[in-house]
Amino acid sequence: MRDPRFDILFQPLQIGPVVARNRFYQTPHCNGMGNLRPQAHAAMRGIKAEGGWAVVNTEHCSVHPSGDLMPEVLQMLWDDGDIPPLALMVEAVHEHGSLAGVQLAYPAYYNANRMTRDVPLGPMDRPVSGHHPVQVRAMDKSDIKALLCWWKAAAQRARKAGFDILNVDSNFSTIAFQFISPRNQRTDEYGGSLKNRVRLLKELIEVTREGGGDACAVSVRLIIDELFGTEGLRAAAEGIEVIGMLAELPDLWDLVVGTWADDSPTSRFAAENDHEPFMAGIKAVTTKPVVGVGRFTSPDTMASLVRRGVLDMIGAARPSIADPFLPKKIEEGRYEDIRECIGCNICVSSHFAMTNLRCTQNPTMGEEWRRGWHPERIAGKSSNATVLVIGGGPAGLECARALGERGYGVTLAERESRLGGRVTLEGELPGLREWLRVRDWRVTQIDKLANVGVYLESDLGVADILEFDADAVVLATGSQWRRDGIGRAAFKPLALSSGLPVFTPDDVMGGNIPSGRIIVYDDDHYYMGAVIAEKLAVAGNDVTLVTPAADVSSFTVNTLENIRTAKRLHERGVVMVTHKALVGTQDDQALFVDARTGAAEHREADALVLVTARLPRTELFTALTARIEERQAGRLRRVSCIGDCEAPAAIFAAVYSGHRFAQEFENDDPILRRERINLAA
Ligand code: ADP
Ligand code: SF4
């Protein structure tokens, strides 16, 4: 049963004309499905409602073609034809007794209108963000009037779609905030004083209220601190003043800080509840409910924020993605079952990839409709087959857990004396501690399953596996980092001299650590090169990170960590060198070629750490397959590889791979539904 100290999270809350059944508020978040994949979108939001989120919001919903969000996959309410896809989501949310909210948005500087080719409109004549060769035209009074009409019409359509809460977005990427920011240099009544700059938000709230009518609540999502020094809006100064000015006008305040990268920082750079300092004093200037975010996964933190009067509702995007059933689990006192977000932002990367949302912790995310997966339920077993899973990394753990949930008899064998594979090793690297949650949640769940046996220090070979005589064998034996230099830039092994010792991340994580002048060569481009460089620099070495890419850790643009990574490396004294491809080593020198000029360059060092690519550990697969072909494998007809042992990738892919195997085991016809354009209509 639930601890009474969390009762406060289950008190209903009045939001204007509607009532939220508890204090869990799924803030708007992108998902790569949007209005292109409305059935997938609706199913995902419906599962959040089923999991207990009292309010479930959409992502950005553009109000007019001159505020086109494409190619980002989001929502729109440009005409009545956009109502049915959103009504689908509303129905899915209402089915479980939750309130549906829509985030009305107009991007202004944030978009170049790449699809509609309308001239973007905004506070001032200036370039759009994102380096597109397009400028925004400064709105005159008639443009502002038009915007208010478009907005009201979108609010009316949102009401027709059935939404309960209409959100006026005043986030970094939308127009109301771009007017409020002190960076707005207009000289008319929409610029200059704070009262003038807030005018547009006030008018947008008013037309939303008119469009929504009496039955809909109106909320505002507002940046209270721009994190842009004295040039930007600051919480302690004008931020709180904005709320004070409009205090009772909306029915709820949903508050954010900075840009998306600040609002959703990864766990490498920010802990849970990092925004609380910005919320101080807000409740003193408004009686309306206040929502805030902070990657909340701890029920104690949540209850404390509500009890102390900092927030009225717990806002969450990522924690609701990692565990759509987080509220239900707290309600039922099942705290250890919460699948805590690890703060990796792979979810964010799927928005940039414009593909169905994916999550490291929750492999069912984005697959609810197209594969029929549910985060808490899985089909029962089809037979009494037994399965031997070899390797207890993220792939093996998830596979064993999900097969166990299905009811199969599972044996999980791990060579080491501890579970977790790469997650256990990587969790010791700087800033990656929270990633251990991938292992810990699965180990906790497996411990509850009497039909899953775990054997540590079990380094299984071919004979052991055949002797075990399972009906199916799943290899989750992982991968190892290459030490020959092959990666994205090199297709052939590099000529490496013995004069410059070569290390890999496996060496460093295993305790074989170089010292002195170290070159970390990053041709992997995600986090590993940077965290290895950071670890070595913190230990007092003279570290240079060299990459053939134009930017350090270039993939992390997609996880909103790119700038913070460079800052951190700089703070740790790591020298960063870009555009240099490693071509070999000679004596104690690493040889590079500049990708732009073709010029050769030598760098002297005491050690070279190669972070380039990984090789799957496939020895068991090869040997077992040969035995099956020779009919020397007893009953065994097939072995399968999952995770990094099939093809090395990021941790989310290993978890997904393990889960997919379990879902599709003994199922010859797994579904993969697609949403097609209906030409007949
Ligand atoms: P993945 O990311 O695909 O889960 P990991 O590298 O994290 O891969 O995990 C693979 C795990 O498999 C490691 O913990 C490793 O110790 C274990 N392993 C590898 N070979 C064997 C084997 N022959 N028998 C048992 N365990 C093994
Ligand atoms: Fe959290 Fe990572 Fe899942 Fe995003 S992908 S919700 S950051 S665990």
mmCIF file of all heavy atoms in Angstrom, residues 475-517:
data_model
loop_
_atom_site.group_PDB
_atom_site.id
_atom_site.type_symbol
_atom_site.label_atom_id
_atom_site.label_comp_id
_atom_site.label_asym_id
_atom_site.label_seq_id
_atom_site.Cartn_x
_atom_site.Cartn_y
_atom_site.Cartn_z
ATOM 1 N N LEU A 475 22.174 -15.280 -27.619
ATOM 2 C CA LEU A 475 23.495 -14.744 -27.298
ATOM 3 C C LEU A 475 23.403 -13.236 -27.145
ATOM 4 O O LEU A 475 23.034 -12.524 -28.080
ATOM 5 C CB LEU A 475 24.490 -15.100 -28.400
ATOM 6 C CG LEU A 475 24.651 -16.610 -28.642
ATOM 7 C CD1 LEU A 475 25.542 -16.860 -29.852
ATOM 8 C CD2 LEU A 475 25.242 -17.288 -27.405
ATOM 9 N N ALA A 476 23.746 -12.792 -25.934
ATOM 10 C CA ALA A 476 23.750 -11.343 -25.645
ATOM 11 C C ALA A 476 25.141 -11.014 -25.109
ATOM 12 O O ALA A 476 25.298 -10.392 -24.064
ATOM 13 C CB ALA A 476 22.663 -11.008 -24.627
ATOM 14 N N THR A 477 26.137 -11.480 -25.853
ATOM 15 C CA THR A 477 27.513 -11.454 -25.343
ATOM 16 C C THR A 477 28.238 -10.141 -25.628
ATOM 17 O O THR A 477 29.412 -9.998 -25.319
ATOM 18 C CB THR A 477 28.309 -12.637 -25.930
ATOM 19 O OG1 THR A 477 28.075 -12.670 -27.347
ATOM 20 C CG2 THR A 477 27.861 -13.948 -25.337
ATOM 21 N N GLY A 478 27.555 -9.187 -26.229
ATOM 22 C CA GLY A 478 28.115 -7.844 -26.322
ATOM 23 C C GLY A 478 29.185 -7.670 -27.380
ATOM 24 O O GLY A 478 29.245 -8.402 -28.371
ATOM 25 N N SER A 479 30.016 -6.682 -27.137
ATOM 26 C CA SER A 479 31.014 -6.309 -28.139
ATOM 27 C C SER A 479 32.264 -5.806 -27.440
ATOM 28 O O SER A 479 32.263 -5.612 -26.233
ATOM 29 C CB SER A 479 30.454 -5.198 -29.025
ATOM 30 O OG SER A 479 30.223 -4.049 -28.231
ATOM 31 N N GLN A 480 33.329 -5.609 -28.223
ATOM 32 C CA GLN A 480 34.521 -4.986 -27.646
ATOM 33 C C GLN A 480 35.032 -3.894 -28.578
ATOM 34 O O GLN A 480 34.833 -3.977 -29.789
ATOM 35 C CB GLN A 480 35.612 -6.026 -27.380
ATOM 36 C CG GLN A 480 36.132 -6.688 -28.603
ATOM 37 C CD GLN A 480 36.569 -8.130 -28.320
ATOM 38 O OE1 GLN A 480 36.029 -8.797 -27.420
ATOM 39 N NE2 GLN A 480 37.522 -8.594 -29.093
ATOM 40 N N TRP A 481 35.651 -2.896 -27.984
ATOM 41 C CA TRP A 481 36.163 -1.779 -28.788
ATOM 42 C C TRP A 481 37.341 -2.243 -29.639
ATOM 43 O O TRP A 481 38.189 -3.009 -29.184
ATOM 44 C CB TRP A 481 36.583 -0.616 -27.874
ATOM 45 C CG TRP A 481 35.398 0.102 -27.318
ATOM 46 C CD1 TRP A 481 34.753 -0.162 -26.149
ATOM 47 C CD2 TRP A 481 34.694 1.181 -27.941
ATOM 48 N NE1 TRP A 481 33.688 0.688 -25.998
ATOM 49 C CE2 TRP A 481 33.630 1.528 -27.076
ATOM 50 C CE3 TRP A 481 34.850 1.900 -29.126
ATOM 51 C CZ2 TRP A 481 32.733 2.553 -27.372
ATOM 52 C CZ3 TRP A 481 33.961 2.922 -29.416
ATOM 53 C CH2 TRP A 481 32.920 3.237 -28.548
ATOM 54 N N ARG A 482 37.383 -1.787 -30.855
ATOM 55 C CA ARG A 482 38.465 -2.149 -31.785
ATOM 56 C C ARG A 482 39.754 -1.453 -31.368
ATOM 57 O O ARG A 482 39.726 -0.337 -30.875
ATOM 58 C CB ARG A 482 38.111 -1.684 -33.198
ATOM 59 C CG ARG A 482 36.831 -2.267 -33.751
ATOM 60 C CD ARG A 482 36.685 -1.892 -35.209
ATOM 61 N NE ARG A 482 37.581 -2.687 -36.013
ATOM 62 C CZ ARG A 482 37.179 -3.564 -36.947
ATOM 63 N NH1 ARG A 482 35.903 -3.723 -37.216
ATOM 64 N NH2 ARG A 482 38.065 -4.250 -37.618
ATOM 65 N N ARG A 483 40.886 -2.121 -31.648
ATOM 66 C CA ARG A 483 42.165 -1.460 -31.403
ATOM 67 C C ARG A 483 42.978 -1.316 -32.687
ATOM 68 O O ARG A 483 44.191 -1.169 -32.660
ATOM 69 C CB ARG A 483 42.962 -2.115 -30.276
ATOM 70 C CG ARG A 483 43.095 -3.604 -30.264
ATOM 71 C CD ARG A 483 43.949 -4.085 -29.079
ATOM 72 N NE ARG A 483 43.210 -4.142 -27.837
ATOM 73 C CZ ARG A 483 43.483 -3.384 -26.784
ATOM 74 N NH1 ARG A 483 44.481 -2.513 -26.801
ATOM 75 N NH2 ARG A 483 42.764 -3.490 -25.683
ATOM 76 N N ASP A 484 42.295 -1.428 -33.851
ATOM 77 C CA ASP A 484 43.030 -1.321 -35.119
ATOM 78 C C ASP A 484 42.749 -0.008 -35.853
ATOM 79 O O ASP A 484 43.247 0.205 -36.953
ATOM 80 C CB ASP A 484 42.673 -2.516 -36.030
ATOM 81 C CG ASP A 484 41.175 -2.617 -36.303
ATOM 82 O OD1 ASP A 484 40.435 -1.703 -35.870
ATOM 83 O OD2 ASP A 484 40.740 -3.599 -36.936
ATOM 84 N N GLY A 485 41.921 0.861 -35.274
ATOM 85 C CA GLY A 485 41.684 2.174 -35.885
ATOM 86 C C GLY A 485 40.525 2.210 -36.864
ATOM 87 O O GLY A 485 40.100 3.281 -37.284
ATOM 88 N N ILE A 486 39.999 1.033 -37.231
ATOM 89 C CA ILE A 486 38.861 1.049 -38.165
ATOM 90 C C ILE A 486 37.678 1.750 -37.504
ATOM 91 O O ILE A 486 37.374 1.512 -36.336
ATOM 92 C CB ILE A 486 38.493 -0.394 -38.597
ATOM 93 C CG1 ILE A 486 39.569 -0.921 -39.554
ATOM 94 C CG2 ILE A 486 37.107 -0.438 -39.265
ATOM 95 C CD1 ILE A 486 39.327 -2.314 -40.084
ATOM 96 N N GLY A 487 37.063 2.618 -38.272
ATOM 97 C CA GLY A 487 35.915 3.373 -37.756
ATOM 98 C C GLY A 487 35.249 4.037 -38.930
ATOM 99 O O GLY A 487 35.297 3.531 -40.052
ATOM 100 N N ARG A 488 34.654 5.193 -38.687
ATOM 101 C CA ARG A 488 33.980 5.875 -39.796
ATOM 102 C C ARG A 488 34.994 6.405 -40.810
ATOM 103 O O ARG A 488 34.765 6.381 -42.006
ATOM 104 C CB ARG A 488 33.115 7.004 -39.265
ATOM 105 C CG ARG A 488 31.863 6.457 -38.613
ATOM 106 C CD ARG A 488 30.966 7.564 -38.121
ATOM 107 N NE ARG A 488 29.676 7.028 -37.734
ATOM 108 C CZ ARG A 488 29.414 6.456 -36.573
ATOM 109 N NH1 ARG A 488 30.350 6.316 -35.675
ATOM 110 N NH2 ARG A 488 28.200 5.997 -36.301
ATOM 111 N N ALA A 489 36.147 6.887 -40.315
ATOM 112 C CA ALA A 489 37.121 7.501 -41.229
ATOM 113 C C ALA A 489 38.020 6.454 -41.892
ATOM 114 O O ALA A 489 38.519 6.679 -42.991
ATOM 115 C CB ALA A 489 37.965 8.514 -40.474
ATOM 116 N N ALA A 490 38.257 5.328 -41.236
ATOM 117 C CA ALA A 490 39.200 4.326 -41.776
ATOM 118 C C ALA A 490 38.494 3.011 -42.057
ATOM 119 O O ALA A 490 37.793 2.485 -41.185
ATOM 120 C CB ALA A 490 40.330 4.102 -40.781
ATOM 121 N N PHE A 491 38.673 2.486 -43.254
ATOM 122 C CA PHE A 491 38.062 1.208 -43.629
ATOM 123 C C PHE A 491 39.032 0.042 -43.452
ATOM 124 O O PHE A 491 38.629 -1.110 -43.390
ATOM 125 C CB PHE A 491 37.564 1.265 -45.076
ATOM 126 C CG PHE A 491 36.306 2.087 -45.218
ATOM 127 C CD1 PHE A 491 36.359 3.468 -45.283
ATOM 128 C CD2 PHE A 491 35.058 1.483 -45.218
ATOM 129 C CE1 PHE A 491 35.208 4.231 -45.372
ATOM 130 C CE2 PHE A 491 33.898 2.226 -45.308
ATOM 131 C CZ PHE A 491 33.965 3.612 -45.390
ATOM 132 N N LYS A 492 40.342 0.377 -43.414
ATOM 133 C CA LYS A 492 41.357 -0.674 -43.258
ATOM 134 C C LYS A 492 42.084 -0.458 -41.933
ATOM 135 O O LYS A 492 42.176 0.685 -41.464
ATOM 136 C CB LYS A 492 42.381 -0.578 -44.389
ATOM 137 C CG LYS A 492 41.819 -1.004 -45.741
ATOM 138 C CD LYS A 492 42.910 -1.058 -46.786
ATOM 139 C CE LYS A 492 43.427 0.321 -47.103
ATOM 140 N NZ LYS A 492 44.265 0.406 -48.276
ATOM 141 N N PRO A 493 42.657 -1.529 -41.365
ATOM 142 C CA PRO A 493 43.427 -1.326 -40.132
ATOM 143 C C PRO A 493 44.549 -0.317 -40.377
ATOM 144 O O PRO A 493 45.159 -0.303 -41.445
ATOM 145 C CB PRO A 493 43.993 -2.717 -39.834
ATOM 146 C CG PRO A 493 43.118 -3.667 -40.570
ATOM 147 C CD PRO A 493 42.623 -2.940 -41.782
ATOM 148 N N LEU A 494 44.789 0.530 -39.381
ATOM 149 C CA LEU A 494 45.847 1.537 -39.525
ATOM 150 C C LEU A 494 47.195 0.913 -39.179
ATOM 151 O O LEU A 494 47.257 -0.046 -38.392
ATOM 152 C CB LEU A 494 45.566 2.713 -38.597
ATOM 153 C CG LEU A 494 44.217 3.419 -38.802
ATOM 154 C CD1 LEU A 494 44.045 4.555 -37.798
ATOM 155 C CD2 LEU A 494 44.124 3.969 -40.226
ATOM 156 N N ALA A 495 48.263 1.459 -39.752
ATOM 157 C CA ALA A 495 49.618 0.998 -39.400
ATOM 158 C C ALA A 495 49.984 1.644 -38.070
ATOM 159 O O ALA A 495 50.163 2.866 -37.992
ATOM 160 C CB ALA A 495 50.597 1.423 -40.499
ATOM 161 N N LEU A 496 50.046 0.819 -37.016
ATOM 162 C CA LEU A 496 50.288 1.364 -35.676
ATOM 163 C C LEU A 496 51.622 0.840 -35.154
ATOM 164 O O LEU A 496 51.840 -0.379 -35.093
ATOM 165 C CB LEU A 496 49.147 0.965 -34.739
ATOM 166 C CG LEU A 496 47.740 1.454 -35.159
ATOM 167 C CD1 LEU A 496 46.660 0.839 -34.274
ATOM 168 C CD2 LEU A 496 47.654 2.975 -35.100
ATOM 169 N N SER A 497 52.515 1.756 -34.776
ATOM 170 C CA SER A 497 53.849 1.358 -34.310
ATOM 171 C C SER A 497 53.784 0.926 -32.847
ATOM 172 O O SER A 497 52.864 1.313 -32.123
ATOM 173 C CB SER A 497 54.806 2.538 -34.436
ATOM 174 O OG SER A 497 54.595 3.430 -33.362
ATOM 175 N N SER A 498 54.782 0.156 -32.423
ATOM 176 C CA SER A 498 54.792 -0.254 -31.012
ATOM 177 C C SER A 498 55.297 0.884 -30.127
ATOM 178 O O SER A 498 55.220 0.809 -28.911
ATOM 179 C CB SER A 498 55.661 -1.498 -30.844
ATOM 180 O OG SER A 498 56.941 -1.206 -31.370
ATOM 181 N N GLY A 499 55.824 1.949 -30.743
ATOM 182 C CA GLY A 499 56.369 3.067 -29.962
ATOM 183 C C GLY A 499 55.310 3.908 -29.274
ATOM 184 O O GLY A 499 55.611 4.650 -28.343
ATOM 185 N N LEU A 500 54.078 3.805 -29.726
ATOM 186 C CA LEU A 500 53.002 4.585 -29.103
ATOM 187 C C LEU A 500 51.926 3.610 -28.610
ATOM 188 O O LEU A 500 51.145 3.072 -29.400
ATOM 189 C CB LEU A 500 52.415 5.577 -30.124
ATOM 190 C CG LEU A 500 51.304 6.493 -29.609
ATOM 191 C CD1 LEU A 500 51.750 7.296 -28.399
ATOM 192 C CD2 LEU A 500 50.849 7.446 -30.716
ATOM 193 N N PRO A 501 51.911 3.342 -27.299
ATOM 194 C CA PRO A 501 50.959 2.351 -26.776
ATOM 195 C C PRO A 501 49.506 2.726 -27.098
ATOM 196 O O PRO A 501 49.115 3.886 -26.953
ATOM 197 C CB PRO A 501 51.182 2.387 -25.265
ATOM 198 C CG PRO A 501 52.488 3.058 -25.066
ATOM 199 C CD PRO A 501 52.723 3.955 -26.247
ATOM 200 N N VAL A 502 48.749 1.705 -27.530
ATOM 201 C CA VAL A 502 47.352 1.927 -27.902
ATOM 202 C C VAL A 502 46.431 1.364 -26.818
ATOM 203 O O VAL A 502 46.639 0.250 -26.332
ATOM 204 C CB VAL A 502 47.057 1.265 -29.264
ATOM 205 C CG1 VAL A 502 45.558 1.213 -29.527
ATOM 206 C CG2 VAL A 502 47.758 2.027 -30.388
ATOM 207 N N PHE A 503 45.434 2.139 -26.451
ATOM 208 C CA PHE A 503 44.431 1.717 -25.464
ATOM 209 C C PHE A 503 43.055 1.863 -26.109
ATOM 210 O O PHE A 503 42.892 2.545 -27.111
ATOM 211 C CB PHE A 503 44.500 2.620 -24.225
ATOM 212 C CG PHE A 503 45.771 2.487 -23.447
ATOM 213 C CD1 PHE A 503 46.938 3.121 -23.882
ATOM 214 C CD2 PHE A 503 45.810 1.734 -22.283
ATOM 215 C CE1 PHE A 503 48.120 3.008 -23.161
ATOM 216 C CE2 PHE A 503 46.992 1.615 -21.547
ATOM 217 C CZ PHE A 503 48.151 2.248 -21.990
ATOM 218 N N THR A 504 42.063 1.195 -25.492
ATOM 219 C CA THR A 504 40.672 1.346 -25.939
ATOM 220 C C THR A 504 39.828 1.691 -24.708
ATOM 221 O O THR A 504 40.298 1.558 -23.569
ATOM 222 C CB THR A 504 40.111 0.045 -26.549
ATOM 223 O OG1 THR A 504 39.965 -0.907 -25.491
ATOM 224 C CG2 THR A 504 40.998 -0.499 -27.658
ATOM 225 N N PRO A 505 38.578 2.077 -24.916
ATOM 226 C CA PRO A 505 37.708 2.329 -23.756
ATOM 227 C C PRO A 505 37.603 1.099 -22.851
ATOM 228 O O PRO A 505 37.491 1.234 -21.624
ATOM 229 C CB PRO A 505 36.365 2.680 -24.397
ATOM 230 C CG PRO A 505 36.743 3.307 -25.699
ATOM 231 C CD PRO A 505 37.929 2.510 -26.174
ATOM 232 N N ASP A 506 37.652 -0.119 -23.440
ATOM 233 C CA ASP A 506 37.590 -1.323 -22.595
ATOM 234 C C ASP A 506 38.764 -1.352 -21.619
ATOM 235 O O ASP A 506 38.612 -1.737 -20.459
ATOM 236 C CB ASP A 506 37.623 -2.592 -23.462
ATOM 237 C CG ASP A 506 36.351 -2.764 -24.271
ATOM 238 O OD1 ASP A 506 35.270 -2.425 -23.746
ATOM 239 O OD2 ASP A 506 36.437 -3.217 -25.428
ATOM 240 N N ASP A 507 39.965 -0.962 -22.102
ATOM 241 C CA ASP A 507 41.132 -0.918 -21.211
ATOM 242 C C ASP A 507 40.878 0.062 -20.070
ATOM 243 O O ASP A 507 41.064 -0.269 -18.901
ATOM 244 C CB ASP A 507 42.385 -0.454 -21.980
ATOM 245 C CG ASP A 507 42.817 -1.472 -23.024
ATOM 246 O OD1 ASP A 507 42.714 -2.675 -22.736
ATOM 247 O OD2 ASP A 507 43.220 -1.051 -24.130
ATOM 248 N N VAL A 508 40.458 1.265 -20.446
ATOM 249 C CA VAL A 508 40.290 2.322 -19.437
ATOM 250 C C VAL A 508 39.215 1.910 -18.430
ATOM 251 O O VAL A 508 39.394 2.034 -17.218
ATOM 252 C CB VAL A 508 39.938 3.664 -20.119
ATOM 253 C CG1 VAL A 508 39.680 4.749 -19.080
ATOM 254 C CG2 VAL A 508 41.062 4.085 -21.074
ATOM 255 N N MET A 509 38.107 1.352 -18.917
ATOM 256 C CA MET A 509 37.030 0.952 -18.001
ATOM 257 C C MET A 509 37.446 -0.252 -17.162
ATOM 258 O O MET A 509 36.959 -0.440 -16.052
ATOM 259 C CB MET A 509 35.747 0.645 -18.782
ATOM 260 C CG MET A 509 35.118 1.883 -19.398
ATOM 261 S SD MET A 509 33.513 1.567 -20.142
ATOM 262 C CE MET A 509 33.947 0.721 -21.649
ATOM 263 N N GLY A 510 38.369 -1.045 -17.700
ATOM 264 C CA GLY A 510 38.813 -2.238 -16.976
ATOM 265 C C GLY A 510 39.979 -1.953 -16.045
ATOM 266 O O GLY A 510 40.521 -2.873 -15.420
ATOM 267 N N GLY A 511 40.431 -0.692 -15.965
ATOM 268 C CA GLY A 511 41.489 -0.339 -15.015
ATOM 269 C C GLY A 511 42.877 -0.276 -15.628
ATOM 270 O O GLY A 511 43.851 0.020 -14.931
ATOM 271 N N ASN A 512 43.024 -0.549 -16.913
ATOM 272 C CA ASN A 512 44.322 -0.436 -17.592
ATOM 273 C C ASN A 512 44.389 0.978 -18.176
ATOM 274 O O ASN A 512 43.986 1.222 -19.299
ATOM 275 C CB ASN A 512 44.409 -1.510 -18.684
ATOM 276 C CG ASN A 512 45.696 -1.415 -19.469
ATOM 277 O OD1 ASN A 512 46.658 -0.788 -19.021
ATOM 278 N ND2 ASN A 512 45.714 -2.028 -20.650
ATOM 279 N N ILE A 513 44.879 1.902 -17.364
ATOM 280 C CA ILE A 513 44.709 3.330 -17.670
ATOM 281 C C ILE A 513 46.043 3.974 -18.056
ATOM 282 O O ILE A 513 47.025 3.857 -17.314
ATOM 283 C CB ILE A 513 44.091 4.038 -16.442
ATOM 284 C CG1 ILE A 513 42.710 3.406 -16.165
ATOM 285 C CG2 ILE A 513 43.942 5.542 -16.673
ATOM 286 C CD1 ILE A 513 42.032 3.903 -14.936
ATOM 287 N N PRO A 514 46.088 4.644 -19.189
ATOM 288 C CA PRO A 514 47.343 5.298 -19.594
ATOM 289 C C PRO A 514 47.606 6.558 -18.761
ATOM 290 O O PRO A 514 46.715 7.059 -18.083
ATOM 291 C CB PRO A 514 47.080 5.677 -21.055
ATOM 292 C CG PRO A 514 45.601 5.832 -21.151
ATOM 293 C CD PRO A 514 45.011 4.871 -20.163
ATOM 294 N N SER A 515 48.842 7.063 -18.861
ATOM 295 C CA SER A 515 49.143 8.324 -18.170
ATOM 296 C C SER A 515 50.107 9.147 -19.006
ATOM 297 O O SER A 515 50.707 8.648 -19.949
ATOM 298 C CB SER A 515 49.716 8.035 -16.781
ATOM 299 O OG SER A 515 50.901 7.296 -16.924
ATOM 300 N N GLY A 516 50.221 10.407 -18.644
ATOM 301 C CA GLY A 516 51.130 11.313 -19.357
ATOM 302 C C GLY A 516 50.400 12.120 -20.411
ATOM 303 O O GLY A 516 49.273 12.569 -20.194
ATOM 304 N N ARG A 517 51.050 12.254 -21.585
ATOM 305 C CA ARG A 517 50.419 13.005 -22.686
ATOM 306 C C ARG A 517 49.576 12.016 -23.491
ATOM 307 O O ARG A 517 50.105 11.103 -24.122
ATOM 308 C CB ARG A 517 51.490 13.616 -23.582
ATOM 309 C CG ARG A 517 52.353 14.685 -22.893
ATOM 310 C CD ARG A 517 53.626 14.917 -23.673
ATOM 311 N NE ARG A 517 54.311 13.652 -23.930
ATOM 312 C CZ ARG A 517 55.271 13.459 -24.826
ATOM 313 N NH1 ARG A 517 55.657 14.445 -25.603
ATOM 314 N NH2 ARG A 517 55.845 12.279 -24.970
#
